[in-house]
Amino acid sequence: MSERYVLDLREVAETQVAVVGGKGGHLGGLSRIEGIRVPDGFCVTTDAFRRIVAEVPSIDDQLDQLSRVNPDDREAIRTLSARIRRTIEGIAIPGDLAAAITRALGRHGEQAAYAVRSSATAEDLPTASFAGQQDTYLNVVGPTAVLQHISRCWASLFTERAVTYRRRGGIDHRTVHMAVVVQQMVFPDAAGILFTADPVTGNRKVATVDAGFGLGEALVSGLVNPDVFTVRHGEIVARTISAKQRAVHALPDGGTREVAIDARRQEQPALTDAQVVRLVELGRRIEAHFGRPQDIEWCLVDDDFQVVQSRPITTLFPIPESGDQENHVYLSVGHQQMMTDPMKPLGISVWQLTAMAPMHEAGGRLFVDATRRLASPASRAALLDVVGRGDPLIRDALETVLERDDFVPSLPEAGPGGPPARGASAPIETDPAIVTGLIERSRTSIAALERDIRTKTGPALFDFLREAFEEHKRVLTDPLSMQAIMAGMEATWWLNDTLREWLGEKNAADTLTLSAPDNVTSEMGLALLDVADVIRPHPEVVAFLRGVESIEDAAFLDELAKLAGGAEARDAIESYLDRYGMRCVGEIDITRPRWRERPTTLVPVILDNVRNFEPGAAERRFEQGRQKAREKEQDVLSRLRALPDGDRKADEAKRMIDRVRTFIGYREYPKYGIISRYFVYRRALLAEAERLVEAGVLPEREDIFYLAFQELHDVVRSHQVDDRLIQRRKDAFRSYHALTPPRVLTSDGEAVTGAYRRDDAPAGALIGLPVSAGTIEGRARVIRDMGEADLEAGDILVTAFTDPSWSPLFVGIAGLVTEVGGLMTHGAVIAREYGLPAVVGVERATRLIRDGQRIRVHGTDGYVEILP
């Protein structure tokens, strides 16, 4: 029975992670690859760990305490994890287990030197490497010392850093077990790390080799700077040779020590060029075996490479599947839709089925393939112009790719569906009735959808939805709707470009578009001020709302109605939800809960409005904006008339001002229509999920979110579901949160980061895109979730991105800074509507700006200053 506790490495399959942990599984797989040498050794399995833990029942209580600790309470985690480690290290290893380990040592050389290495079951996985979270001990000599260090490895499952890493990754401590790898020690001439993809850019065609003298610990611990070699297509394309003053060597009696390197050797390369290329070839073989880029620890002994570890590089953003070997350039959809969080599979597939262009998925995000548009000179110029106005970082990233002459092929003609060339006047009149008619057509279509879907269930529902998706796309691609959107955008561009040329004034359109009519998103923010007006006179209602976190969403409105003034408050909120309840943060993902389903989401914003505004604020705000726009128009026209040929210039500007005010508000309506339809789809699909739960097919209705649309259709038809598939999808979705989606991604896996090519901002300023004019100074509120809103008058909102659901916050802030966004994305449009100075596209703004810091937002010039 005791032999189940020890497995020789050559017996281990890489699928046996539950038995030998991630590191052990990978080493077992490595030992089977032809031409790859792995030091001999064995694994002490997770069964041994379980047995040890079972020796002390009190560990269960300690784990319970640990699971309840806040991940940010470092002191509590430090105390509890240290107690668990002491407990495990204090357990005597039972005789039969110790004997099994000693027998294994006897087979490999009892008095040989060994590396004793932790191998947790949540380690070196495709979605989480856990690199460095548990312990490794080098040059351990003799059975007594090996047994002692195995105990230390078991205990290292509960280092403070490992516990925190698991908590942040949502991994239950009880589900992770520890195996231990015991390998014969290698005494190398050189050692280091090979990445089979560039760990910084993500480029899968580029490998990097870090190398130093002696044991690899010198590099891992940061004792020395390594030599760094960059290899592409079998050739070294870059190298940095460092002065390696120290190395880590093994001691004869066990352990390691730092040694000084002879001055004559310090600047010699640790590897020859031929060795570097040979090492990368070995790495490519390992990568092919595991099917993904690898982070490989290697040793060089007498010109022979030995591999002591290989793990997936989990920080790389995945590449969309293209089905061919051609080069592709992908643009992030999330950066255009203001939602860069990962989406669940049902959300991805419904967006794909209702989008105007083919969408590719990677890392829980959607991308559009721009290769054909970039390949033709005509469509390339139009695409660069449009994306450059929206997000200069995307344009710069695309130009970076295009500078590599060999990456994007050159075609004589544009691919289908290229963007319209800027500057071509939309062939529609400046007529408000056009917008009114488009809005009415959308409402009629949505009403028909709501009416017709009510009787549809089972497979018939999915047939109906397929047809509804086609109607969805027809409405979305209505030529008149597209012309109206472009008319507003082009008028904005014309005003900004031309008035800058004629009057030397930046971003004049920002003021001219204040309080534009028919903007459903800005109306949504103002309407919540009206809700606050209803609630403000009723202290009991306000007090109830302050304690609402403990109330279930389903009971919230019913409980509210029981209070003095509560019926009026409930009716006001209900009326708001009737018009806007389909919205939520991340609303392009149909799996996200809507405000109608979770009305308590709005409570913090309502309370801010109650506290920060006087009655009638909505009407006053809108009228003030309209008056400012009117005054700006008169000012611009009078200044133009004073110029040479001034009457013609004023007449042209007047036509464009009328055009922008007629059409710019409609820019927000198609998205409102999409999300209105999504809410209808969502409710029908959740009702179907309830039926699957009642039939015992699914344990929870939200499990449907981890199935693509066609997969869900199959489940409804067959009443059979693959539970393991759903669990894999849940694990993958959790892992996607750690990935940052790039604006531009190539089929080589390179995440291309654009740059602002500007020198007009003060030193130390954070550069972004100016989208709403003005300068404001105030307290930064770094908010990642609307539910965290706690704003005071004069605060500046700093967040990663804002989709339309954030607009209720905009009425209570003085300025806006986001990491993602463009000139015509929703946050920018609403910031201009409300007259808020705004800078978007500020890389890492939520990390560089601390909550509570004073900042100055330069919305006209596009930068943010952090004030002392």
Side-chain angles (χ1 to χ4, degrees), residues 27 64 73 81 92-93 159 221 236 305 350 367 395 415 435 475 498 521 540 544 574 627 637 708 752 868:
L27 287 168
D64 280 340
D73 189 347
S81 60
I93 297 178
T159 61
S221 64
I236 297 174
F305 286 106
V350 170
F367 294 85
R395 175 173 185 143
V435 172
V475 171
T498 308
T521 308
E540 202 174 330
F544 170 80
E574 284 278 13
Q627 184 62 34
L637 295 179
V752 188

Side-chain angles (χ1 to χ4, degrees), residues 139-207:
N139 201 31
V140 181
V141 178
T144 301
V146 168
L147 289 170
Q148 180 186 35
H149 286 86
I150 287 171
S151 285
R152 288 181 179 172
C153 283
W154 286 331
S156 75
L157 189 62
F158 297 99
T159 61
E160 181 188 346
R161 62 184 182 275
V163 167
T164 302
Y165 192 104
R166 288 196 294 271
R167 285 299 306 273
R168 295 194 187 283
I171 297 171
D172 185 347
H173 302 302
R174 295 174 187 280
T175 64
V176 184
H177 303 290
M178 181 67 83
V180 180
V181 174
V182 181
Q183 281 180 285
Q184 286 185 336
M185 188 67 191
V186 175
F187 303 99
D189 306 311
I193 300 166
L194 159 65
F195 294 99
T196 65
D198 188 315
V200 177
T201 69
N203 194 323
R204 283 16 175 220
K205 299 287 180 64
V206 172

Side-chain angles (χ1 to χ4, degrees), residues 2-11 40-44 97-112 114 143 182 184:
S2 63
E3 291 304 324
R4 74 170 190 258
Y5 296 131
V6 175
L7 285 175
D8 194 276
L9 265 183
R10 286 168 294 190
E11 301 174 314
D40 285 342
F42 58 91
C43 287
V44 181
L97 174 53
I101 294 168
T102 303
R103 279 196 298 274
L105 288 171
R107 289 193 295 272
H108 292 279
E110 193 170 283
Q111 292 303 315
Y114 289 91
V182 181
Q184 286 185 336

Side-chain angles (χ1 to χ4, degrees), residues 608-811:
D608 284 347
N609 289 347
V610 166
R611 183 175 66 247
N612 296 332
F613 292 92
E614 296 295 322
E619 187 176 351
R620 280 197 306 279
R621 286 284 296 268
F622 188 78
E623 191 50 46
Q624 286 166 1
R626 190 158 54 182
Q627 184 62 34
K628 283 182 183 176
R630 191 179 299 122
E631 291 169 359
K632 183 67 173 178
E633 176 181 336
Q634 292 169 352
D635 172 61
V636 164
L637 295 179
S638 66
R639 287 160 62 200
L640 287 174
R641 288 192 183 98
L643 298 176
D645 198 18
D647 287 343
R648 178 190 64 80
K649 290 175 178 174
D651 288 345
E652 281 188 47
K654 172 62 175 166
R655 281 197 299 274
M656 284 300 178
I657 291 169
D658 290 346
R659 197 163 180 79
V660 82
R661 290 198 66 80
T662 297
F663 292 115
I664 200 63
Y666 179 71
R667 164 76 180 81
E668 291 293 296
Y669 200 86
K671 182 72 168 284
Y672 176 79
I674 291 171
I675 302 308
S676 297
R677 299 178 79 89
Y678 266 29
F679 191 36
V680 179
Y681 308 152
R682 174 182 165 86
R683 285 187 294 188
L685 291 170
L686 282 174
E688 202 59 41
E690 293 281 9
R691 288 186 277 273
L692 291 172
V693 171
E694 289 168 9
V697 179
L698 290 175
E700 297 177 2
R701 68 174 194 159
E702 285 77 14
D703 284 349
I704 68 166
F705 297 157
Y706 298 93
L707 298 170
F709 183 81
Q710 184 57 50
E711 292 169 339
L712 178 55
H713 187 180
D714 294 341
V715 170
V716 168
R717 192 170 52 237
S718 67
H719 269 213
Q720 293 182 324
V721 67
D722 184 345
D723 295 330
R724 291 171 301 175
L725 172 67
I726 289 176
Q727 188 55 54
R728 284 200 302 274
R729 296 267 177 84
K730 288 180 178 179
D731 292 342
F733 177 72
R734 189 184 304 116
S735 74
Y736 293 154
H737 282 88
L739 299 175
T740 300
R743 284 174 165 82
V744 173
L745 179 67
T746 74
S747 49
D748 285 352
E750 184 177 3
V752 188
T753 304
Y756 292 106
R757 310 292 176 179
R758 291 169 44 188
D759 56 6
D760 58 347
L766 308 181
I767 306 296
L769 178 67
V771 295
S772 186
T775 300
I776 194 71
E777 184 177 313
R779 179 181 69 157
R781 290 310 318 273
V782 181
I783 297 176
R784 293 176 176 83
D785 185 331
M786 257 186 71
E788 300 169 0
D790 181 16
L791 297 165
E792 299 287 348
D795 282 349
I796 297 169
L797 173 62
V798 180
T799 191
F801 57 81
T802 62
D803 60 14
S805 69
W806 286 75
S807 67
L809 286 185
F810 283 26
V811 299

Side-chain angles (χ1 to χ4, degrees), residues 51-69:
R51 178 168 171 191
I52 289 295
V53 171
E55 297 277 327
V56 184
S58 67
I59 284 183
D60 272 344
D61 293 334
Q62 294 176 45
L63 289 177
D64 280 340
Q65 292 179 54
L66 198 58
S67 66
R68 290 193 294 268
V69 170

Side-chain angles (χ1 to χ4, degrees), residues 523-536 572 576 609 615-620:
E523 290 166 4
M524 177 171 67
L526 295 173
L528 207 58
L529 287 174
D530 292 334
V531 172
D533 285 353
V534 174
I535 289 168
R536 193 178 291 106
Y576 185 86
N609 289 347
E619 187 176 351
R620 280 197 306 279

